Amino acid sequence: MFQIFNTLTRKKEVFEPLDPSQVRMYACGLTVYDYGHIGNFRTFVAVDILRRYLRHRGYRLTHVMNITDVDDKTIEKSQQASVPLKDFTHKYIQAFLEDMRALNIETPERIPLATDHIPDMVELIRRLEQRGLTYRGNGSIYFQIKEFPSYGKLSNTDLSGMKAGARVDADNYEKLDVRDFVLWKSPKEGEPFWETAVGPGRPGWHIECSAMSMKYLGKSFDLHCGGVDLIFPHHENEIAQSEAATGKPFVKYWFHCEHLIVEGEKMSKSKGNFYTIRDLLDRGYHPLVLRYLLASAHYRKPLNFTFDGLHQADVSLERLCDFRLRLERHLPPGRSEGLQELIRASRAKFEAAMDDDLNTSGALGALFEWVREMNTVLDQGKLREDDRREALIFLDCVNAILGVFPFEAPSPDREVEILIREREDARKSREFARADQIRTELEQRGILLEDTPEGTRWKRRL
RNA sequence: GGCGCCGUAGCCAAGCGGUAAGGCGGAGGUCUGCAAAACCUCUAUUCCUCGGUUCGAAUCCGGGCGGCGCCUCCA
């Protein structure tokens, strides 16, 4: 029984999709004015593990993730770069997709762009206008919060104390009430705009997620995901405009990932603690080491990113990979007493942890415990072919959920094989200096050797 | 000021009322030509702090202290 924490109710709830045969989930993606940073990817990895686990649980799933390719920031940065908005965002969309691949994040079924859905947003705004929930000012259109009494239910915010009627002139747009938010922004000099049925302009930020999620998933759907910073006002506003337009509950479960901080502080460019995926790759880290680190803490707890932590993740992941590597061997047929039981029990522990609101730390604990027991069995030479196959199935299952193992078998390398054979010969004739020299040479090339009773094994450093 | 998250060994991190998982690091040992990997033993009488509830609290309640976040764009 899979339980998930729902921000809306502030409780863990048994997950039951609206349509038992199909889970429909939406996740807020990236605003593409720059490369995504490791904090962004913490959320995307958490959402990825969620979707993988739902599939493991047997659900078919439609997962939509938007990309915001028009907003204040994208416009500002593209103008600074003197590049047309579309070309500017294209570059970062491509980079984002590359980073997703590097982190082994599964591609959502749909990745809609805001600029491809202007008509859908306009349609939604018109519906809100027809219902008398909006007003205009200087060509912009605002959502009137006082028309939506349950406003604040997601973020547990009581906005009634804020001064209504105060004229706020933030960002040169006119609101009647500070709590109101903009649905449609009138065109400004030199900015991109669209000619539409609600007039010329461009969409406010919140409307795109409502329009695109409902277009692809229906008026009510199961899961809406994002970082905690989106709870207010973004998701609150989405609820208001969506439910006000349809009269139906918008989302059943709200899933929010806590923030990642760096060395105890909020990541920011000015502090110099701002890292993209590319930064870490440039420093020589395997992307899945980052994924492992992100997966090793529970998604609802703040994660303090440090390079020491990244190193610990590296070593831990390597332990799992080494175990997997030990399983690549020929074994006598049959099975050993009790091993099937051990595997089944460990698998049950792993799943119980994941069932409990994706407790990845607990799940990894179960996995490591099992690995130690299996290593002992291997040391004792008690593992047999059927056990080995079962163990590999379990590991594949773990990997289908966590997606952290860089398990591709090392691609054969003729040159390496020759050097290893040369070293074998040297060792046989007890020329250890020569043997060690070859080992050092290979190590400098990132090839690590291990001598086992069955011969020398090698692997690439992560 | 309002709302929220967090504080468990040197570090990371589970734990959700029944007597401290797991990983990294460290010490010692087994194995090895030496390594590596692996395994074994040890490494928190105690969970920021002070009170309370309870037969029993890291876990529940209240007061402190400390860190982080949101309330404006933010995953």
Side-chain angles (χ1 to χ4, degrees), chain A residues 16 41 54 67 74 90 126 143 189 245 308 367 439:
Chain A
E16 279 169 342
F41 284 100
L54 287 170
I67 286 179
T74 44
H90 181 75
R126 291 185 73 187
F143 184 91
E189 189 59 39
D308 183 46
L367 182 66
R439 185 167 63 193

Side-chain angles (χ1 to χ4, degrees), chain A residues 148-187:
Chain A
F148 190 73
S150 68
Y151 190 84
K153 65 183 172 186
L154 180 69
S155 55
N156 194 26
T157 307
D158 180 10
L159 259 38
S160 59
M162 287 177 82
K163 269 228 175 86
R167 265 191 123 73
V168 178
D169 193 20
D171 205 19
N172 291 328
Y173 295 99
E174 284 197 7
K175 291 197 272 189
L176 292 177
D177 185 324
V178 276
R179 303 173 299 168
D180 295 341
F181 58 92
V182 67
L183 295 165
W184 188 255
K185 294 184 170 187
S186 61

Side-chain angles (χ1 to χ4, degrees), chain A residues 296-310:
Chain A
S296 67
H298 186 82
Y299 76 91
R300 279 194 294 116
K301 283 209 173 170
L303 174 71
N304 186 16
F305 174 90
T306 62
F307 281 96
D308 183 46
L310 195 60

Side-chain angles (χ1 to χ4, degrees), chain A residues 279-287 289-290 307 310-311 314 462:
Chain A
D279 292 334
L280 298 186
L281 298 187
D282 289 346
R283 287 174 179 235
Y285 292 97
H286 188 112
V289 168
L290 175 64
F307 281 96
L310 195 60
H311 175 252
D314 189 341
L462 284 184

Side-chain angles (χ1 to χ4, degrees), chain A residues 26 114 117-118 120-126 128 143 181-185 202-214 234 237-238 241-242 245 250:
Chain A
Y26 184 86
H117 294 77
I118 303 292
D120 302 289
M121 299 182 219
V122 167
E123 179 54 39
L124 187 56
I125 293 169
R126 291 185 73 187
L128 291 168
F143 184 91
F181 58 92
V182 67
L183 295 165
W184 188 255
K185 294 184 170 187
R202 61 184 172 93
W205 175 37
H206 315 296
I207 197 71
E208 69 173 88
C209 287
S210 288
M212 297 194 287
S213 61
M214 292 198 287
H234 184 53
N237 291 351
E238 280 188 58
Q241 66 200 180
S242 304
F250 180 44

